[in-house]
Amino acid sequence: MGSGKRSLTTAAVALVCAVTVLSAPGMAYASPAKPAPSPTPTPTPTPSASAGSSGAASGDGTDLEAVRLKLDKLYREAATATEAYNAAEEKTEKQSAQVVELAREIVKGQARLEALEDRAGAAARAQYRGGGLPPEARLWLSDNPQEYLEGAGRVRQGEHAASGLLAEMARTQKDLAQYTKDASAQWQHLEDNRKKKASAKKKIKERIAAAEKLESQLEKDEKKRLAKLEEDAAYKAQTAWLSSGILKEINGRASAQGRKAVEYATAQIGKPYEWGAEGPKTYDCSGLTSQAWASAGRTIPRTSQEQWKQLPHVAVEDMRPGDLIIYFDDATHVGMYIGNGAIVHAPRPGRTVTIAGAGSMPILGVVRPDK
């Protein structure tokens, strides 16, 4: 939309106003942004005749509201599995790097031990060549007693050096044993997380396939009515949120980094959702927010659950553009607040990055990456 090149205020207002264009069928969370230009509570819309009531049914008896709830459940389960996949992937990458680093330390330790063993062998051979007679005899047989005494001093130094060499060898062997133990443990963690990734991936595909199969069974007009039901549900939730007067309390101004993050996120509008994706062509919800803040120079956790755990929390009424709103009790969805009661987010499979009402989903809380 080009909004990423505008100032924050202009971008937010323009994007929220553009929601009417984005509210066509298939944009499930577009309409909630309709009331955003004004903090005045907007009346809950009356569902159109085509949309029907919560018990709307198609001509063949299909309960579209039940279908909507079923789809929502499937996609929520897919989102939960996606966060599990992303977390396992992030841990796998870190553990892989740790295993590689430990392997390097083991190689270096082995080389050091071999060098120490060579030095110890040379010292032993030198001591053998100089041995065989007691010190008194060697002194009596020496042509130069002073030279012998100097040599004896060097021998004592050599004995001390040999003792230090043996101690260093022992430390190196101990380090090698610890590196090997750590590498084995990290390898086991790596394998465990690979299994978690595989399990989560399977669940994601199963849930998405089930949702797509369910949607494919609908007629064209039913799909339109379903999209309208989704739109009305999101709009109703947003209206209820706004009716609390929350916008009168929210007046925070974005930080410089927050503006950059918003510009990046809004520039991705229209790009498809893809689970596990971090751009630049596709995104999942936390992939979008983490990359937006990375573009602003701030590294944040990859998943919405870790963003909720690790980033500073702020009150909803204190939030400002650039802050992240975490949704649902299990923190499995995240959007970026852009002002005027709206967020930009990557909703779910089959949708694109879009604008939605900040209150169109159950809010768990708000976090601020640059606090």
Side-chain angles (χ1 to χ4, degrees):
M1 293 178 65
S3 317
K5 298 181 180 178
R6 305 174 184 174
S7 68
L8 176 65
T9 303
T10 304
V13 174
L15 287 169
V16 174
C17 290
V19 167
T20 53
V21 178
L22 297 173
S23 61
M27 305 302 293
Y29 299 112
S31 68
K34 291 176 181 177
S38 170
T40 304
T42 304
T44 302
T46 302
S48 63
S50 63
S53 64
S54 61
S58 65
D60 62 0
T62 301
D63 187 337
L64 285 181
E65 178 62 11
V67 170
R68 183 186 74 79
L69 293 174
K70 178 64 175 177
L71 286 172
D72 185 64
K73 181 176 184 292
L74 288 169
Y75 282 124
R76 286 273 297 111
E77 290 174 349
T80 300
T82 296
E83 288 300 289
Y85 176 90
N86 290 337
E89 182 177 46
E90 188 174 35
K91 288 179 181 178
T92 296
E93 289 175 357
K94 290 180 180 178
Q95 286 157 357
S96 295
Q98 289 170 344
V99 168
V100 170
E101 186 58 34
L102 285 167
R104 287 176 180 155
E105 290 298 330
I106 289 172
V107 171
K108 286 162 58 177
Q110 288 174 333
R112 180 170 181 76
L113 185 59
E114 289 172 3
L116 290 171
E117 288 173 343
D118 288 343
R119 286 170 57 192
R125 288 190 295 272
Q127 188 175 17
Y128 175 78
R129 286 194 298 269
L133 291 173
E136 295 84 357
R138 291 202 299 272
L139 176 60
W140 183 70
L141 292 172
S142 174
D143 294 332
N144 188 337
Q146 181 61 37
E147 183 179 309
Y148 168 77
L149 292 173
E150 291 175 355
R154 288 194 295 272
V155 168
R156 284 194 296 273
Q157 291 175 357
E159 289 173 347
H160 287 306
S163 177
L165 184 61
L166 291 174
E168 189 173 359
M169 286 177 64
R171 286 195 301 271
T172 302
Q173 288 173 327
K174 184 178 180 181
D175 289 343
L176 270 173
Q178 187 61 49
Y179 290 146
T180 302
K181 182 180 179 181
D182 291 346
S184 177
Q186 287 299 335
W187 184 261
Q188 185 59 53
H189 290 322
L190 184 60
E191 287 302 302
D192 290 344
N193 277 302
R194 282 175 176 164
K195 291 178 182 177
K196 289 179 182 178
K197 277 180 60 179
S199 176
K201 183 176 181 178
K202 181 181 179 182
K203 186 173 183 179
I204 293 166
K205 289 188 172 183
E206 287 175 349
R207 297 305 187 272
I208 292 176
E212 289 175 343
K213 181 179 179 180
L214 184 59
E215 288 183 291
S216 70
Q217 295 171 349
L218 299 175
E219 299 294 335
K220 185 176 181 180
D221 66 323
E222 290 176 328
K223 290 179 180 179
K224 290 181 178 179
R225 292 164 60 196
L226 177 63
K228 185 65 170 63
L229 284 175
E230 292 177 343
E231 182 181 325
D232 287 347
Y235 186 32
K236 183 177 181 179
Q238 172 73 352
T239 300
W241 184 66
L242 291 174
S243 67
S244 67
I246 188 68
L247 282 189
K248 294 178 182 178
E249 305 294 329
I250 302 174
N251 53 17
R253 302 183 67 177
S255 64
Q257 282 187 309
R259 284 194 295 273
K260 289 181 180 179
V262 169
E263 287 169 1
Y264 179 96
T266 53
Q268 312 313 308
I269 289 174
K271 292 184 178 180
Y273 176 102
E274 181 182 2
W275 63 267
E278 299 177 77
K281 294 182 179 180
T282 58
Y283 296 89
D284 64 18
C285 67
S286 55
L288 176 66
T289 54
S290 60
Q291 288 302 305
W293 271 100
S295 75
R298 183 65 63 112
T299 299
I300 66 172
R302 167 65 176 88
T303 68
S304 60
Q305 292 173 333
E306 288 304 310
Q307 289 169 5
W308 175 244
K309 288 179 184 177
Q310 297 183 35
L311 298 178
H313 292 201
V314 296
V316 173
E317 59 269 21
D318 294 331
M319 69 180 174
R320 65 192 187 194
D323 287 348
L324 306 181
I325 303 181
I326 310 296
Y327 293 97
F328 304 109
D329 290 342
D330 55 358
T332 50
H333 191 71
V334 60
M336 179 178 290
Y337 187 63
I338 60 173
N340 289 342
I343 60 167
V344 58
H345 73 147
R348 65 168 175 83
R351 300 290 189 258
T352 60
V353 176
T354 189
I355 300 296
S360 59
M361 295 168 284
I363 295 175
L364 177 61
V366 180
V367 295
R368 178 165 296 164
D370 60 341
K371 186 173 180 180

